[in-house]
Amino acid sequence: ALVYYLTHPTDGNVVGGPSSAEEGPDAPKVHLNSMGAILQSELDLCVQFLQLDERNFHCWNYRRFVVAILGSCGSTTSACTAVQHADMAVKSDLDLFNGSWSSWLNYSQGMMGAQLSQSAGSAVGIIPIHPKQDDDMDGTTASCVAKHVTPLSEQELAEIIRNEWDFTTSKIQDNFSNGSAFHYRSKLLPLVLESRLSSTSDDGGGGSSDGNPPSASERCDAIQTLAREEWENILLNAIFTEPDDQTPWWYHRFVVSWAKPSHGLDDEYESLLFEMADSLRDLLEVEKENDMVGNEEKKDESKGAKCKWAYIGLHLVLSTLLESDFMDEEESAEVKEEVGECLAELMKIDLNRRERYQNLAAEMAGNGA
């Protein structure tokens, strides 16, 4: 319904409710003639449901769908290229169609963003486009853009993204086990990055004065800053509060991978990894003390089940550090030794995955040889 409303011309700008001939004099009218207002109203509707069931993945998935539209609207890719890209992507998906509805979801997101990007780039009311029509689509693909919908402005886009970011922060702090909120936050992270870079460039704090996009180094610095904020403001509190809950640990793995520079590890990223390693060692010490209290026989910290995810997280951080070109041989040897110790402990803790840890240890030994 959202796709149809935003991409088809209508006679009015009232959303929902009876027709004007049927409604009473006091019947409420919801006038939403701004794309930003429409999308924000959808997000607000999801909030009402999530207040009743904060883990309802249907609401989170729909919320993610709306944000995907926002990301498409904020893209610098031309509308024509976006339409062609979406058309090629869906053809590939449908050729491999296995009964999942994700192919149709991806198609609607791509075509929606392409059409809205085209709408935002034009001052004309109705813009005819001709995307690929499929016999099974039943005519749901739009052929024009509604002339009464005002394109999404950069200010509206930035405000919605900022509100969504604050919303996920509150949901995660309320419940560190809310996997849907963490997953949704991972989808917001790139949008928040682009919003910050755009804001910095507009304020003269980044990019060039003639409006050119930020440089590669400025983008890399912004990524590292955002990753550090996630570690210090979200993840540290979560893993020390619920060390046995895998939810924040999966987000930690995502942040480590997302922040990793494509051109090789730099000083800022390495500094973050070393800080993570120090904090995870502290967590393991805390868990070791907790396991030994009141039980003299529990001398081996590997018997503490809560240590599993901390060891996995520490292994991830240390193994990533081994890719560095800045560590000397002695420091690299110490890191590699600690990686081996993590794997040895995991073999004792996680017996079901013992063979995997053995393979990782053998692979590391082979690389060292």
Side-chain angles (χ1 to χ4, degrees), residues 115-339:
Q115 294 178 52
L116 297 184
S117 296
Q118 189 176 27
S119 173
S122 173
V124 181
I126 299 179
I127 311 168
I129 62 174
H130 304 284
K132 176 181 180 292
Q133 293 284 348
D134 192 281
D135 293 338
D136 296 330
M137 294 293 286
D138 295 330
T140 56
T141 304
S143 59
C144 56
V145 179
K147 61 181 177 182
H148 68 275
V149 176
T150 304
L152 185 71
S153 68
E154 292 185 5
Q155 183 178 359
E156 287 178 317
L157 177 62
E159 183 178 357
I160 291 177
I161 292 175
R162 183 171 57 253
N163 291 340
E164 288 301 283
W165 190 246
D166 294 341
F167 176 75
T168 57
T169 300
S170 65
K171 285 300 179 183
I172 289 173
Q173 290 176 346
D174 288 343
N175 184 0
F176 292 131
S177 299
N178 194 334
S180 295
F182 272 111
H183 179 255
Y184 182 65
R185 194 173 181 87
S186 71
K187 301 299 181 181
L188 280 174
L189 200 58
L191 297 179
V192 171
L193 172 65
E194 297 303 326
S195 179
R196 288 189 179 186
L197 288 172
S198 176
S199 175
T200 303
S201 179
D202 293 341
D203 294 339
S208 60
S209 58
D210 57 0
N212 289 334
S215 64
S217 61
E218 290 169 339
R219 177 174 292 275
C220 185
D221 290 343
I223 291 175
Q224 301 307 322
T225 299
L226 192 51
R228 182 178 293 277
E229 290 177 6
E230 290 300 277
W231 169 249
E232 295 177 351
N233 300 336
I234 298 292
L235 284 168
L236 265 179
N237 193 14
I239 63 176
F240 271 83
T241 303
E242 297 288 347
D244 57 336
D245 190 339
Q246 63 177 318
T247 305
W249 291 107
W250 284 114
Y251 187 64
H252 170 249
R253 178 172 291 271
F254 166 78
V255 170
V256 170
S257 174
W258 179 77
K260 184 178 179 180
S262 58
H263 57 274
L265 276 60
D266 55 23
D267 291 340
E268 184 65 26
Y269 183 67
E270 283 193 25
S271 175
L272 176 60
L273 293 180
F274 276 116
E275 290 181 22
M276 288 181 174
D278 289 339
S279 297
L280 294 177
R281 295 187 189 103
D282 292 341
L283 175 59
L284 287 169
E285 286 299 318
V286 171
E287 290 303 312
K288 179 180 179 180
E289 294 174 1
N290 292 340
D291 287 340
M292 294 179 65
V293 172
N295 190 346
E296 294 298 327
E297 296 181 357
K298 216 170 190 179
K299 298 294 185 181
D300 189 349
E301 66 179 280
S302 67
K303 293 181 181 179
K306 290 185 177 182
C307 292
K308 169 187 171 180
W309 289 104
Y311 275 118
I312 291 176
L314 182 58
H315 172 267
L316 168 67
V317 170
L318 295 176
S319 58
T320 304
L321 277 171
L322 287 177
E323 302 176 21
S324 171
D325 297 327
F326 299 101
M327 290 192 300
D328 55 36
E329 292 185 5
E330 182 179 355
E331 190 174 22
S332 179
E334 292 177 355
V335 172
K336 183 174 290 188
E337 180 180 0
E338 191 172 5
V339 170

Side-chain angles (χ1 to χ4, degrees), residues 13-127:
N13 59 358
V14 180
V15 179
S19 64
S20 57
E22 299 173 346
E23 61 188 9
D26 299 326
K29 298 183 178 65
V30 184
H31 291 271
L32 296 176
N33 56 2
S34 163
M35 186 182 300
I38 295 170
L39 297 179
Q40 184 62 64
S41 71
E42 296 301 294
L43 296 173
D44 292 341
L45 181 62
C46 289
V47 172
Q48 299 180 39
F49 286 99
L50 291 173
Q51 289 175 345
L52 302 175
D53 182 5
E54 64 180 13
R55 298 191 188 185
N56 189 306
F57 68 91
H58 296 294
C59 288
W60 285 107
N61 283 340
Y62 184 68
R63 206 173 183 89
R64 181 165 60 90
F65 171 74
V66 174
V67 168
I69 295 175
L70 291 174
S72 299
C73 292
S75 174
T76 56
T77 306
S78 67
C80 181
T81 303
V83 171
Q84 293 174 355
H85 178 76
D87 186 48
M88 293 174 60
V90 73
K91 185 178 185 301
S92 175
D93 286 344
L94 294 181
D95 287 343
L96 302 174
F97 185 68
N98 59 358
S100 172
W101 71 286
S102 60
S103 298
W104 298 105
L105 177 62
N106 293 336
Y107 179 80
S108 61
Q109 286 179 350
M111 294 307 299
M112 180 73 169
Q115 294 178 52
L116 297 184
S117 296
Q118 189 176 27
S119 173
S122 173
V124 181
I126 299 179
I127 311 168

